[in-house]
Amino acid sequence: MATFFERNAFVHTLLIFALFFSGGVESLGINYGQVANNLPPPEQVLELLKSYRITKARIYDTNPQILTAFANSGVDLIVTVENEVLSNLMDPQQALQWVGTHIRPYFPATRITGIAVGNELYTGGDTTLMANVVHAMTAIHAALVQLGLDSYIHVSTPSSLAVLAESYPPSAGSFRPELAGVMPQILQFLASTKSPFWINAYPYFAYKDEPNNISLDYVLFNPNVGMVDPYTKLHYDNMLYAQVDAVIFALARMGFGGLEVRVSETGWPSKGDLNEIGATVQNAAVYNRNILKRQLVNEGTPLRPSSRLEVYLFALFNEDLKPGPTSERNYGLFQPDETMVYNVGLSALSATSTSTMSYGSVSLTSSASSQVIKP
């Protein structure tokens, strides 16, 4: 007899199937990390993505094999300037050379839509990188302008949620005081280039640290009483949306409430060490499945309900060479052999039969409001 968990997984899969063929879905964003020694080649990864109708991906470098393999695939790709080379690109000529070598030869055949300059620089403790990132972003954007690519490719930098000094309630959202010098420069750049603010947000970490004080259902998007922000009176039934709205309020406090906020990473580990409470296959499946379910109806956050939130799940594969606790190597939807770690409601298209049912994934494209939010 099917368990309650299995029955619900089946129901959600049918929902995804119905919405896909009604034209309501388009693509799931996924982070394609490569810190492993057993991953399939990029050509094979592309076929995996296409079989699940995933047409948005983010990589953590500008791997030429991936950029070549993804040509004419229809997959939108965000590439990354690695932290260790970022400082070199402050120089306009170096930035122009980098774009000319790592971007221009592949575009437009490979649909590069964004460049992430570094990753989580403001919580890494490297003050030099923090000071350099806005100069590198400016130089890279100028190179894109010079090459006529700026209207196709945006430039941003993903931040950890730890950039916030306060995130609860969401209306109290504010950046850490030590970022008061550099953060306005970044935000001004994003506003002037109409680029999004990227945030890596993991409700899992909050639950792991305080499992006795935080409702598991609240962080997993399951039915729960939620919380009401005492100042805005907005109701939140999940932590991810509360975290995103806290970022929006933090932006508004610096005068940039009109910026679009996108989630560059979120996910849940399917395995962890003994002290990593909540890191289970079932919780990971529920978290990611419920995100898909919310995005199927183009849902926005309570603060921006009419603006669909763009989300990239972390990650495509379990990556066996990632350092740190066990959870770090177990965020993937897939094993390196391309078998599912768990089913979030996506079933591959049949390559041999047109009569086989196919299940789509969700469109997480955002068209954020330009309104200025006043805390």
Side-chain angles (χ1 to χ4, degrees), residues 88-104:
N88 296 333
L89 303 187
M90 295 171 57
D91 176 73
Q93 285 304 119
Q94 292 285 339
L96 181 61
Q97 182 178 353
W98 185 90
V99 172
T101 303
H102 294 81
I103 304 297
R104 190 179 188 183

Side-chain angles (χ1 to χ4, degrees), residues 68-320:
T68 300
F70 278 50
N72 304 308
S73 66
V75 175
D76 291 347
L77 200 60
I78 294 172
V79 301
T80 301
V81 175
E82 301 96 316
N83 291 0
E84 54 267 26
V85 303
L86 184 153
S87 296
N88 296 333
L89 303 187
M90 295 171 57
D91 176 73
Q93 285 304 119
Q94 292 285 339
L96 181 61
Q97 182 178 353
W98 185 90
V99 172
T101 303
H102 294 81
I103 304 297
R104 190 179 188 183
Y106 305 99
F107 184 89
T110 301
R111 291 170 54 171
I112 301 169
T113 60
I115 299 174
V117 181
N119 188 48
E120 298 191 350
L121 296 173
Y122 296 117
T123 50
D126 190 326
T127 55
T128 300
L129 281 179
M130 291 183 197
N132 291 346
V133 62
V134 70
H135 301 294
M137 292 170 68
T138 301
I140 291 169
H141 180 259
L144 292 173
V145 171
Q146 186 170 339
L147 296 174
L149 303 178
D150 58 300
S151 60
Y152 306 100
I153 303 172
H154 75 262
V155 178
S156 189
T157 183
S159 294
S160 161
L161 197 71
V163 295
L164 297 185
E166 298 289 343
S167 62
Y168 182 87
S171 60
S174 60
F175 289 110
R176 298 200 330 258
E178 59 267 34
L179 299 177
V182 66
M183 189 58 72
Q185 300 175 47
I186 293 291
L187 303 184
Q188 182 59 58
F189 170 85
L190 297 178
S192 65
T193 60
K194 297 180 173 59
S195 299
F197 184 91
W198 284 105
I199 191 73
N200 296 343
Y202 289 87
Y204 161 71
F205 292 134
Y207 177 75
K208 176 181 71 71
D209 292 340
E210 296 188 76
N212 296 323
N213 297 323
I214 296 176
S215 164
L216 181 60
D217 286 330
Y218 180 64
V219 293
L220 291 180
F221 289 82
N222 280 334
N224 67 96
V225 297
M227 60 83 66
V228 174
D229 188 301
Y231 301 101
T232 64
K233 307 304 179 185
L234 293 173
H235 177 261
Y236 293 86
D237 65 358
N238 71 84
M239 181 176 284
L240 180 65
Y241 287 4
Q243 291 175 335
V244 171
D245 280 355
V247 171
I248 296 173
F249 271 100
L251 295 173
R253 282 189 163 83
M254 286 196 166
F256 296 92
L259 285 177
E260 179 183 0
V261 175
R262 299 180 184 176
V263 178
S264 39
E265 290 181 16
T266 192
W268 197 285
S270 59
K271 185 179 180 181
D273 296 321
L274 291 177
N275 64 341
E276 296 188 289
I277 298 172
T280 68
V281 168
Q282 180 168 348
N283 287 343
V286 169
Y287 181 78
N288 287 319
R289 183 180 298 121
N290 281 339
I291 286 180
L292 292 176
K293 184 179 176 183
R294 296 300 184 100
Q295 294 300 317
L296 286 171
V297 292
N298 299 333
E299 194 170 71
T301 68
L303 192 57
R304 292 180 174 173
S306 61
S307 298
R308 184 168 47 185
L309 180 66
E310 181 163 338
V311 177
Y312 279 64
L313 293 182
F314 187 87
L316 183 59
F317 293 109
N318 282 342
E319 300 171 63
D320 66 334

